[in-house]
Amino acid sequence: MHNIIFLKDLDGKALDPYVRLNEAQLFHVMKPGMFIAESPKVIERALRAGYHPASLLMEEKTFERDLADLDHEMAANQTTGLGQTPIYVVKSEMLRQLAGAGYNLLRGALSAMYRVQRPDLTSFLATMPTNHPRIAVLESVVNPANVGAIMRSAAALGIDGVVITSDSADPLYRRASRVSMGTVFQVPWTYVDAKIWRTEGINLLHHLGYKTAAMALRHNTISIDDPELDRADKLAIILGSEGPGLNEQTISQSDFTIKIPMAPEVDSLNVAAASALAFWELGNQKTK
């Protein structure tokens, strides 16, 4: 039996996560925080990954169809379905009041979900495959759309895990998870404190057996198809922010500086586009 609540307005405190709290506030509302999953597809993938919903907000004309799909997803993962999770149902015109918050209203479903605790860097890397692991490190990538696109490429192109510095955009922000098409819930990832990364990150990766490949334009760069990169037993591909790129210390401490060959008079690609090409060449998807 579902806990379905039909609403006539958006004034109730229970709707604060959707109406009155921004994403930073949701992050800190309680340990380990909350986030909003937007659209049935993203919600389904979050459920599949083991995230638990605090509530759902659904459009009246589509909730029966979407509810059946979501219940099926929960049951497929040996859970008991949505049970008594509050499901708030509203008319289309009410949902349009959220347009100012940037929600994609055409997809008819939102869910406030609880975050999970992320492991520290050492514990996270211990979960990577023992054979030929390939990870990506996002250093200060602040655009949520780019983070989402990188996560989608990582999931598709054989990257085993993603490490994200704490000064990057949050992969669970709505825009990032929407751009990722929910693949943020498929590829393993964790945070590393930005200060710890700058002082210890590269050395820690080296200590754990990883060769590091910094994507940057320098005189000593090698191409992403250089055979030496494939010969690395463990490889970390490091991508920097859209404007200034990687920190100089990250580049100088890395084993390789790598580039994508391209036409004259064009020196770089958007970081999301560059990640897709690098992951295609250096990820494990080709060997699967």
Side-chain angles (χ1 to χ4, degrees):
M1 194 73 177
H2 294 109
N3 183 15
I4 301 173
I5 304 163
F6 290 87
L7 299 177
K8 295 182 180 180
D9 57 55
L10 301 175
D11 294 336
K13 184 174 177 59
L15 295 186
D16 282 355
Y18 305 102
V19 181
R20 283 167 286 278
L21 296 179
N22 62 37
E23 291 183 304
Q25 291 170 323
L26 284 171
F27 191 105
H28 298 289
V29 70
M30 64 180 67
K31 289 290 186 180
M34 298 177 71
F35 66 97
I36 300 294
E38 180 180 325
S39 86
K41 180 180 290 292
V42 172
I43 295 170
E44 287 175 18
R45 287 183 170 170
L47 293 172
R48 193 179 307 159
Y51 289 84
H52 296 287
S55 65
L56 286 86
L57 179 63
M58 307 183 76
E59 189 177 14
E60 188 177 68
K61 69 179 182 180
T62 60
F63 90 96
E64 290 183 355
R65 178 199 65 203
D66 292 338
L67 185 61
D69 291 341
L70 295 174
D71 254 345
H72 175 76
E73 186 58 53
M74 295 287 276
N77 286 276
Q78 299 181 339
T79 67
T80 58
L82 293 172
Q84 290 302 299
T85 300
I87 302 169
Y88 302 108
V89 181
V90 299
K91 295 183 181 296
S92 300
E93 54 267 28
M94 292 171 58
L95 206 56
R96 281 195 289 272
Q97 295 178 33
L98 298 178
Y103 290 112
N104 187 338
L105 307 181
L106 298 178
R107 298 179 181 177
L110 305 167
S111 179
M113 291 191 158
Y114 296 108
R115 291 174 178 267
V116 299
Q117 195 68 41
R118 296 283 162 187
D120 62 34
L121 182 58
T122 301
S123 300
F124 176 73
L125 294 178
T127 68
M128 293 296 99
T130 56
N131 182 34
H132 209 250
R134 287 330 189 223
I135 68 168
V137 179
L138 309 190
E139 181 185 280
S140 308
V141 179
V142 298
N143 186 311
N146 282 337
V147 170
I150 292 169
M151 297 296 286
R152 188 173 182 180
S153 294
L157 300 173
I159 296 301
D160 299 301
V162 179
V163 176
I164 302 169
T165 61
S166 59
D167 56 352
S168 296
D170 182 358
L172 295 182
Y173 278 180
R174 290 181 294 107
R175 189 178 179 200
S177 64
R178 183 173 69 236
V179 170
S180 82
M181 292 298 290
T183 55
V184 65
F185 304 112
Q186 292 178 229
V187 60
W189 61 274
T190 198
Y191 300 108
V192 61
D193 182 88
K195 292 181 180 178
I196 293 175
W197 167 254
R198 284 193 291 271
T199 58
E200 305 174 25
I202 297 293
N203 288 335
L204 180 56
L205 288 174
H206 286 160
H207 178 71
L208 295 173
Y210 280 83
K211 295 287 188 179
T212 51
M215 296 196 70
L217 296 174
R218 293 292 186 273
H219 69 279
N220 60 341
T221 54
I222 62 174
S223 174
I224 59 170
D225 61 357
D226 191 296
E228 191 171 359
L229 295 168
D230 188 60
R231 287 194 292 268
D233 181 44
K234 299 179 178 181
L235 186 66
I237 306 157
I238 310 173
L239 302 108
S241 60
E242 297 83 350
L246 292 172
N247 291 323
E248 287 295 331
Q249 181 173 311
T250 299
I251 298 170
S252 64
Q253 291 182 343
S254 290
D255 299 290
F256 308 103
T257 306
I258 60 175
K259 65 179 179 181
I260 298 169
M262 58 188 70
E265 299 184 10
V266 179
D267 61 3
S268 65
L269 295 172
N270 165 275
V271 66
S275 75
L277 291 173
F279 296 167
W280 165 251
E281 185 62 44
L282 299 172
N284 285 321
Q285 190 62 31
K286 288 184 176 181
T287 62
K288 294 180 179 178

